[in-house]
Amino acid sequence: IIYSFLSAVSDIILLSINRMYNLMILNPDILRDVLLKMEEAGYLEELSPTSLYASLNYSEEAINYSILKLSEAGFIKAVITNYGNVPQISALCDITYQGHLFLTDIRSDNVWGKTKQVLAKIGTTSVSSISQVASGILGIIIKQELGLI
């Protein structure tokens, strides 16, 4: 209960800071939520950023930034056009194979909660760190289920 409360407070603080200063903060929860929403949309259904703004409780800037980073990481295919220095996201088209692997590792609420705890302890939120930690936690859970530890 305390963890859930602290996590919610942390999310509210990050959202407030991001809105006040329009910071480029990579929020792992948004990465996960965007991937989950894209998966829900189904194959060959383009998803608009506007639909994400309506269904996710994050600022438009934070969602757009996360979409850009997911695209740069090769986890999604999106239609992004640059107007000067400002990228415009028209549509989210597909989750790549690498994106599916990443999402599979972080899908479970149990694994995700443990992953976020470890990330908070080590002080990182890079995509590669999230993936490594989630894979490590999954490895431990698998070994426990097999009775190996």
Side-chain angles (χ1 to χ4, degrees):
I1 293 173
I2 292 172
Y3 173 75
S4 296
F5 173 75
L6 291 175
S7 179
V9 169
S10 172
D11 290 346
I12 291 168
I13 291 170
L14 272 177
L15 181 62
S16 298
I17 290 171
N18 192 23
R19 281 187 176 157
M20 282 189 325
Y21 298 105
N22 197 20
L23 297 177
M24 293 185 287
I25 297 173
L26 190 61
N27 182 330
D29 287 314
I30 303 174
L31 298 176
R32 179 177 182 255
D33 290 345
V34 167
L35 287 169
L36 289 169
K37 287 292 182 186
M38 287 183 70
E39 186 179 60
E40 281 177 21
Y43 181 62
L44 295 179
E45 266 188 62
E46 287 186 355
L47 190 63
S48 72
T50 306
S51 65
L52 289 177
Y53 307 151
S55 63
L56 298 176
N57 191 25
Y58 306 105
S59 71
E60 290 181 19
E61 295 85 5
I63 292 171
N64 286 341
Y65 188 71
S66 296
I67 291 168
L68 292 172
K69 297 304 141 190
L70 285 167
S71 178
E72 288 172 8
F75 290 166
I76 65 170
K77 292 183 181 179
V79 178
I80 301 169
T81 309
N82 287 314
Y83 293 102
N85 289 332
V86 181
Q88 298 292 329
I89 303 163
S90 304
L92 290 81
C93 305
D94 192 19
I95 302 174
T96 66
Y97 180 71
Q98 290 300 318
H100 278 291
L101 292 176
F102 181 68
L103 181 57
T104 299
D105 283 351
I106 62 173
R107 175 187 318 283
S108 158
D109 289 337
N110 179 36
V111 171
W112 184 240
K114 290 177 181 178
T115 299
K116 286 175 41 174
Q117 286 176 348
V118 171
L119 292 171
K121 284 181 187 175
I122 61 176
T124 185
T125 58
S126 72
V127 173
S128 62
S129 296
I130 296 167
S131 187
Q132 287 177 357
V133 170
S135 293
I137 289 169
L138 279 171
I140 291 168
I141 291 171
I142 290 168
K143 287 179 182 177
Q144 287 173 340
E145 290 297 317
L146 293 174
L148 299 176
I149 55 172

